[in-house]
Amino acid sequence: MSEQQDPASPGQAGATAIAAADSSAAASAATDAAILSTGALQNAIIQSANFSSIATDSRGVIQVFNIGAQRMLGYSAADVVNRMTPADLSDPGELLERAEFLSAELGIAIAAGFEALVFKASRGIEDIYELTYVRKDGSRFPALVSVTALRDPSGSTIGYLLIGTDNTARKHAEADRVTLERRLRDQQFHTRFLTEASTEALLTTDPLGTISATNVPMENLLQFSRNELVGTAFRSFFADPGQADACLEMAIGGGKVSDWELVAKPQAPNADACSTDAPNADAPSADAPSAAGSAALWSAHPFYGAGGELQGVFAAAHDVSELRRLERRLEEVEGELVHAGESAKAATVAVSDFLSGVANKLRSPLNTILGFAQLIDTDIPPPTLAQAASVEQILRAGWHLLELINEIVARADLESDALVLLEPTSLTEILRECHAAILPRARTNGVGVAFPPAGLPCFVLADRTRLKHVVMSLLSNAIAYNKVNGQVVVAIGLTSVAGKPDRVRLSVGDTGMGLAPAMLARIFHPFNTEGRVGGAANIGGIGLAASHRMVELMGGALHAESTLGAGSVFWFELDAAAEPQTPPSIAPLPTVPQGAHRRKLLYVEDNSSNLELVEQLLARVPDIRLITARDGRHGVLLARSEQPDVILMDIHLPGISGIEALQLLRSDLATARIPVIAVSGDAMPRDIQKGMKAGFFRYLTKPFDVRQFMETVEAGLELAGQKAGLK
Ligand code: MN
C-alpha cells in the first residue's frame, strides 16, 4: 500500500495537483463521505457488471471499483480502493502521450498521471476517449472510457467517475476493417495491374455507358488517350454508335456478348470531349477525312456491386483490322482472278473460233486430196500395185491429218463455256464408253470398279462431249486416289420433285484416304493447289474445277462428300431427258426402178477442186446428171428452173450462205420439197446441229468418205423419188 501512495508515483502527483486546485483537503474528505453515503448511486454502480465503474476521490484515489472493473482488470476492490489511482491501471506510455497532447492543445503543462486522465472532465468538458488498461497479470486491453467529474451541491469537485467498456471487440472489428480495406486496395491494385498488363484492350463503363476505366491497348485500339476515353460515352468512339449501344445493352440485359464486331471511329474527338458524362454529347466529330477505323471483336459482361446492383459493363476487344484488311485484299485478288478468268474464257472462245475457221479452211483442200485419192483407188481399170501403194500412203496421211485437225478443234471447243450444246444424251452410253476406257488403268492400280447395270436407258440433258469429260475425270480421280484393293462405285439415281423436271444423279465413290474438311471446302476452287487437280490422275485431261464449271454450264452442280480415312463421293445431278426420236432410217425405203428417168443433181459450190471431185464421182453413176452453181443466189435460180431431184449445198459461199439459200428454197413452193444435202468443212457438232435444225436433209462434212458420200446422195435421190411417187 505504501508504495502506491509514494509521492513520486504519477497517480499521486496528479491527485495532489487536483487536490491543490480544489484548495481544501478537509472539504475533500467531507465529500468523500457524502459519496459513500449515497447508497443508491453506489448500488447502481456496483451492480453494473458490464461496465467498469471506477470512482475516485478528488485526488484520484480509487474509492469505488465495481464488479465490472474487477472482472475486466483482474483486481479485487481491496487491491485498489484507497491504494491506487486509475493512472496506475493505465498504460504509462499512453498517459505520457495524452499529457503531451493535452498540453499542446490547451497550452497548459499537464502531468502524465491521473491529471491527464481527468483534466478535461475537471474543467467540465465531457470526455470520452480510448485508453489501454493494464490488468493485474500485466496483459492489456483497449477500453473506451467516459470520464465525469462528481461535484457536491456547491459545485466543488469531490471526485471522478470513470466508466469504461472493453473495446477489444470493436478494436478487432476495426482491425478487420483496416485489413479488408488494405485487401480491397490490393485487389484494386492487382486488377489495375492485370488490366494494364493485359495485351487485350479492356475498358469498363458505368451503367449509363460512360467509360469509367481503360488500358493502354484500348487507347491504341480506339486511338484516343485515357483522358479522352474516361468520362465519354462508349458509343462516341464508333462508326455506328447504335451498334455500340446495342452491344452494351445486350450485356446489361444478361445476353452473351462475344465476337461483337464494332468499327472504331477514325480520328481524335474535340477538345471538350473528355469531361462529359452525358451520352451523345461531345461525340468525336466525323468530318475529318481519314482511313477506316480499326475493326475489333468485342466481348462484354455486366458487373455488380456486393448488393447486386449493376455497376457497369466490362468490355474487352480483340483487334481484327489486319484480318479484315487481308480479307478485303483476298476478295480483291479473287475478283481480279475472276476477271482474269473471264478474260481467259473470252480468249478461249476467240481461239476456238479461230481454230474452227482454220479447220474449215484446211478441210476443203483435204477433201480434194482425199477425194481424188479415193477416185484413183476405186477407178476402173484399177491402179497398178505401185500406184495403189502410193495412193494408200496419201489416204492414210490425209485421214491422219483430218484426225489431228479434229482433235485440236475439239480440245479448244471443250475449254470454251460459250459453246455448250445441251441435248438429250445417253448417260448409259457414256458410262459404257468410260468403263471401257478406264478398265486397264483400274486393273493396273488394283482397284475394282462397279458400274450400274447397263440395260437401263437413261438420258440427261447435257453436252455429250463435256459430260463424258466430267465422268472420265471423276472416274480417273476415284482410281488414282484410291487404296490398293480399293473400290470405285458408280451409281445412278432418279430424283423427282413435283413441278420440276426429274433429275438424274450420278455418283462416283472411292475407298481412298478421304479429304479433310478444309481441303474439301476448296476442292473445286479454280486455284486450288491442294490436290486432285492436274497431274497424272486426270486421264480425261480436265481438273475438278473445270468439271465443276462444266456441270454448272449443263444446269447441275458437282458436289463432294468425304470421310477422312474412309473415302470420298463425288456426285452431280442433271435434268433427265426423254429418249430422242431415232432419225428415219434410210435403208428400208422402196427403190424407184433404175432408169425410169435420168435424175438431176444440183451442186452449189464455190471451190473448183471440190466441184471437180464431185463431178468425177458422179460421172460413175450413169443416170445422174450434175448441174452446178458457184454461189447461193445462182443456185436458187437454177433450182427453180431446173427442178433437180437433189441439191448438194456448200455452207460458205460468196454472197448468201448455204443456209440462207436453203431458206429461200424452202420458202418457194417450186423448190420446197427438194431434199438439200449440206456439204461443208464446218465439222463441229454444233455446226452439224445448226445445219440439221435449218432443214438440211443430211449434213456431209469435208473431207468426205467417197462411199458415205455416194450413200447419202442415193438416200436423197430415193427420198425425192418417194416424193415424186406421192405427187
Ligand atoms: Mn465454200
Side-chain angles (χ1 to χ4, degrees):
M1 177 180 275
S2 63
E3 68 271 23
Q4 300 285 343
Q5 300 280 332
D6 191 307
S9 84
Q12 193 58 37
T16 308
I18 293 165
D22 286 338
S23 81
S24 166
S28 180
T31 51
D32 288 350
I35 294 166
L36 293 171
S37 67
T38 313
L41 174 64
Q42 201 170 29
N43 284 345
I45 292 166
I46 288 165
Q47 279 167 12
S48 174
N50 296 321
F51 295 90
S52 71
S53 296
I54 302 170
T56 70
D57 62 14
S58 59
R59 293 161 299 146
V61 179
I62 295 170
Q63 299 301 313
V64 173
F65 198 74
N66 80 338
I67 291 167
Q70 290 171 39
R71 188 177 290 165
M72 280 179 204
L73 287 151
Y75 290 100
S76 68
D79 292 334
V80 297
V81 172
N82 286 323
R83 298 170 75 105
M84 289 183 169
T85 75
D88 300 323
L89 304 172
S90 304
D91 181 279
E94 239 177 56
L95 281 178
L96 190 62
E97 271 177 31
R98 185 167 169 77
E100 283 171 1
F101 178 78
L102 287 172
S103 301
E105 186 186 345
L106 303 169
I108 304 165
I110 294 164
F114 183 67
E115 188 181 10
L117 293 179
V118 300
F119 189 86
K120 277 194 171 173
S122 72
R123 298 298 165 94
I125 304 166
E126 191 194 0
D127 201 11
I128 298 174
Y129 53 87
E130 271 184 14
L131 183 67
T132 302
Y133 273 135
V134 182
R135 294 195 185 89
K136 189 176 180 181
D137 63 7
S139 65
R140 291 153 190 261
F141 69 95
L144 190 66
V145 178
S146 155
V147 186
T148 315
L150 302 171
R151 300 177 194 277
D152 64 9
S154 69
S156 304
T157 302
I158 56 170
Y160 297 92
L161 177 63
L162 289 81
I163 298 173
T165 53
D166 188 338
N167 211 19
T168 306
R170 225 189 92 192
K171 274 290 181 191
H172 282 160
E174 173 81 356
D176 286 350
R177 190 181 61 80
V178 169
T179 307
L180 280 175
E181 277 179 356
R182 197 185 67 238
R183 282 190 191 154
L184 186 62
R185 273 199 310 276
D186 286 353
Q187 198 82 31
Q188 285 169 339
F189 178 78
H190 287 143
T191 306
R192 180 71 177 265
F193 179 78
L194 273 178
T195 308
E196 288 300 338
S198 171
T199 51
E200 282 289 281
L202 306 170
L203 62 74
T204 56
T205 73
D206 67 13
L208 292 173
T210 301
I211 297 172
S212 50
T214 181
N215 69 351
V216 173
M218 186 60 81
E219 293 178 79
N220 293 337
L221 174 69
L222 296 177
Q223 290 290 296
F224 290 96
S225 72
R226 183 188 302 271
N227 284 343
E228 288 164 330
L229 290 166
V230 172
T232 307
F234 180 68
R235 71 194 318 277
S236 310
F237 298 97
F238 299 96
D240 184 346
Q243 274 293 306
D245 286 344
C247 175
L248 294 187
E249 277 161 21
M250 180 168 276
I252 289 170
K256 181 175 152 61
V257 180
S258 64
D259 293 344
W260 187 295
E261 185 155 349
L262 292 174
V263 176
K265 217 168 222 182
Q267 90 293 344
N270 302 329
D272 58 347
C274 53
S275 59
T276 178
D277 54 359
N280 277 328
D282 306 301
S285 80
D287 13 277
S290 58
S294 53
L297 295 179
W298 290 76
S299 59
H301 305 271
F303 63 96
Y304 300 94
E309 74 283 5
L310 176 70
Q311 295 209 321
V313 173
F314 180 87
H318 180 71
D319 193 343
V320 291
S321 315
E322 185 61 12
L323 185 66
R324 293 291 176 264
R325 198 186 63 74
L326 288 173
E327 282 173 353
R328 280 195 298 274
R329 182 65 195 132
L330 186 63
E331 272 171 30
E332 283 170 22
V333 168
E334 284 187 338
E336 286 163 15
L337 288 174
V338 166
H339 182 73
E342 279 161 5
S343 304
K345 276 181 203 167
T348 309
V349 172
V351 166
S352 179
D353 287 350
F354 171 74
L355 286 174
S356 298
V358 169
N360 174 264
K361 290 225 157 38
L362 289 173
R363 278 192 184 98
S364 278
L366 197 54
N367 192 36
T368 309
I369 294 168
L370 286 170
F372 279 103
Q374 288 174 88
L375 270 177
I376 297 168
D377 199 32
T378 55
D379 211 355
I380 298 165
T384 65
L385 281 178
Q387 284 170 332
S390 302
V391 169
E392 166 81 18
Q393 289 293 332
I394 295 170
L395 285 171
R396 192 179 297 163
W399 290 120
H400 181 59
L401 182 56
L402 181 64
E403 264 175 48
L404 293 177
I405 292 167
N406 288 343
E407 204 168 297
I408 290 168
V409 175
R411 189 58 183 263
D413 196 37
L414 191 68
E415 291 296 317
S416 165
D417 294 347
L419 309 171
V420 176
L421 182 81
L422 295 184
E423 58 188 345
T425 306
S426 169
L427 188 56
T428 320
E429 203 177 295
I430 286 179
L431 283 178
R432 194 173 59 235
E433 291 169 15
C434 290
H435 192 174
I438 56 123
L439 260 183
R441 187 183 171 89
R443 289 209 183 100
T444 311
N445 286 29
V447 173
V449 282
F451 274 70
L456 307 161
C458 177
F459 286 84
V460 291
L461 202 59
D463 181 308
R464 194 183 198 283
T465 315
R466 286 179 172 77
L467 181 59
K468 191 174 170 186
H469 274 90
V470 170
V471 175
M472 271 309 280
S473 194
L474 295 182
L475 288 168
S476 303
N477 276 337
I479 293 168
Y481 294 98
N482 220 310
K483 61 183 180 190
V484 176
N485 297 323
Q487 189 76 10
V488 173
V489 177
V490 182
I492 296 180
L494 192 70
T495 53
S496 296
V497 176
K500 288 184 178 175
D502 288 350
R503 303 274 281 176
V504 174
R505 173 191 286 218
L506 178 79
S507 66
V508 178
D510 65 62
T511 53
M513 285 299 293
L515 294 155
M519 201 190 267
L520 195 62
R522 292 182 70 79
I523 193 78
F524 301 124
H525 201 278
F527 311 104
N528 175 27
T529 54
E530 290 179 89
R532 299 207 174 199
V533 179
N538 290 288
I539 300 168
I542 57 166
L544 282 172
S547 296
H548 189 251
R549 198 184 73 228
M550 283 183 191
V551 174
E552 273 185 351
L553 287 169
M554 294 187 282
L558 183 57
H559 301 273
E561 288 159 8
S562 195
T563 311
L564 260 185
S568 310
V569 178
F570 287 78
W571 59 272
F572 61 81
E573 284 184 354
L574 293 172
D575 280 348
E579 187 171 352
Q581 295 297 309
T582 44
S585 59
I586 300 159
L589 289 172
T591 53
V592 180
Q594 289 267 328
H597 75 292
R598 203 169 182 216
R599 292 168 297 177
K600 208 186 284 173
L601 202 147
L602 169 64
Y603 185 20
V604 187
E605 171 66 84
D606 61 330
N607 182 299
S608 22
S609 51
N610 279 191
L611 268 177
E612 202 176 320
L613 173 65
V614 169
E615 271 167 19
Q616 293 219 17
L617 275 171
L618 294 178
R620 293 176 175 185
V621 187
D623 65 340
I624 289 181
R625 187 166 69 88
L626 180 70
I627 52 173
T628 60
R630 291 298 188 119
D631 64 74
R633 287 196 189 283
H634 190 221
V636 171
L637 290 174
L638 213 54
R640 273 181 201 148
S641 58
E642 293 287 330
Q643 289 289 307
D645 296 280
V646 169
I647 299 172
L648 293 170
M649 182 75 74
D650 184 24
I651 301 293
H652 291 278
L653 289 166
I656 61 168
S657 73
I659 288 174
E660 285 166 311
L662 174 69
Q663 280 156 356
L664 288 176
L665 290 169
R666 282 270 172 279
S667 61
D668 187 339
L669 274 178
T671 54
R673 296 158 59 90
I674 305 171
V676 183
I677 299 167
V679 181
S680 175
D682 291 343
M684 301 300 295
R686 65 173 181 282
D687 297 325
I688 297 168
Q689 175 99 355
K690 196 171 145 196
M692 293 306 286
K693 222 172 163 183
F696 286 110
F697 167 63
R698 290 282 194 284
Y699 195 106
L700 286 172
T701 59
K702 296 178 195 170
F704 40 72
D705 178 274
V706 170
R707 203 169 46 87
Q708 194 192 357
F709 175 81
M710 292 309 293
E711 279 171 8
T712 307
V713 169
E714 274 306 324
L717 288 170
E718 274 170 24
L719 181 64
Q722 270 185 311
K723 284 179 176 172
L726 288 171
K727 256 193 262 189

